[in-house]
Amino acid sequence: MDKLAILGGTPIRKDYLPYGRQNIDEEDIKVIVDTLKSDYLTTGPKVKEFEEKIAKYVGAKYAVALSNGTAALHAACYAAGIGEGDEVITTPLTFAASANCVLYLGGTPVFADIDPKTYNIDVEDIERKITDKTKAIIPVDYTGQAVDLDKIMELAKKYNLIVIEDSAHAIGTEYKDKKVGSIADMTEFSFHPVKHITTGEGGVITTNDKDLYEKLILFRTHGITRDSDLMTDNNQGSWYYEQLDLGFNYRITDFQCALGISQLNKLDDFIHRRRELVNIYNDKLSKMDGVITPYESKDSNSSWHLYVIQLELEKFNGDRKEIFEALKAENIGVNVHYIPVHLHPYYKKLGYEKGLCPVAERVYEGIITLPLHPSMKNEDLDDVIMALEKVLDYYRK
Ligand SMILES: *Cc1c(COP(=O)(O)O)cnc(C)c1O
């Protein structure tokens, strides 16, 4: 057997294969340059056009584009009326932004555990965690797999809660016969470069509710409006505007939205390629001893942001850390999604403790994210498989 790179052997790959990356072509570059030469750099016609196209793509009435996905979640929590004393239920197996957005408004994130098969939030545990202070649920479509939206929406109706779906991983994912973004009260997408399509930084909220839409628009620009339906005084001159509430500057630029439109045109091709790569991964890895491939719910057709395997650690001599570092030394860009949010020092300081979500904590110990992005070649994927075989054969008992 070849010596592991981490022990001084030759790595499987000469160059590093990242776990995710953007796919930018000449057309993308051209539309950005064209917009830079136009009259608008920040809010202009491209923002509106991007919003309309996103809304149409997911099948929602409205879309509001913001400076990033986290700002979008913050705006959604504001529109939902989250404030001091309110509890919002979310999953621990997510990026911290899914819970931080609640804290920004003085609310309290409450973590429900995950389902041991799908790794998405466990709907029964959501119901157990509901109190008379609960105001909203922020379920996350982890890796791109839709949460059980029918059950979550039913629960929300029963307890009068607002559902803000964090679909940062899931643009293009279908739940039953609808796209995510058209079902929850509000749905957030992110356009960070590792996500399906990018605007550099960027995010959007989609909704079918006009009131929520108006609140999102207000929050994006300082709480300021020129809308005569919303202002308290309509007898002023045309310079006049009013600040109705405390908002932020969460605007996205016109050239970012020009890029977003161009990227959106390619989204279905990107998703197609991601699904192709996942099929190859599933096929090769299901035969590999000690590796559990991702579970796929029949209600969700995932657009696959991440490909996360679970190691059966009892079958190996090394732990996840050793295996992870050995794969990285082979120049395979592995990652871990995610450190359960409640285990971060900041959250511990707020009083959250280990043991709160035992399933998520156990799942976290064995997960590894493998590279997945549409510009990956089949040969790149073969390198990942070879590196996994090399490393796992070394550590297997
Ligand atoms: C990427 C991401 C976000 C938003 O991130 P931004 O970088 O602010 O766009 C939110 N939630 C999850 C689960 C994410 O992965």
Side-chain angles (χ1 to χ4, degrees), residues 68-71 73 94-95 97-98 140 166 168-169 188 190-192 195 201-203 305 338:
N68 57 69
T70 306
L73 283 170
T94 185
F95 183 54
S98 314
V140 178
D166 183 344
H169 297 185
E188 173 257 344
S190 164
F191 307 120
H192 179 279
K195 306 286 162 70
E201 294 278 1
H305 165 50
Y338 292 90

Side-chain angles (χ1 to χ4, degrees), residues 89-92 99 109-113 125 129 341-342 347 352 356-357:
I89 300 174
T90 190
T91 170
V110 172
F111 297 100
D113 210 345
D125 205 38
K129 302 268 162 87
V341 177
H342 64 288
Y347 277 82
Y352 298 87
L356 195 61
C357 296

Side-chain angles (χ1 to χ4, degrees), residues 12-40:
I12 291 280
R13 284 178 67 92
K14 275 208 201 67
D15 59 323
Y16 187 73
L17 176 67
Y19 86 91
R21 66 159 286 149
Q22 69 277 16
N23 186 318
I24 300 287
D25 65 13
E26 287 306 315
E27 180 59 26
D28 292 325
I29 294 165
K30 183 180 177 301
V31 298
I32 297 168
V33 173
D34 288 349
T35 313
L36 289 173
K37 292 175 183 165
S38 79
D39 291 339
Y40 294 94

Side-chain angles (χ1 to χ4, degrees), residues 2-14 329-330 390:
D2 281 349
K3 199 171 180 184
L4 295 189
I6 202 164
L7 301 174
T10 311
I12 291 280
R13 284 178 67 92
K14 275 208 201 67
E330 302 295 337
K390 183 180 172 188

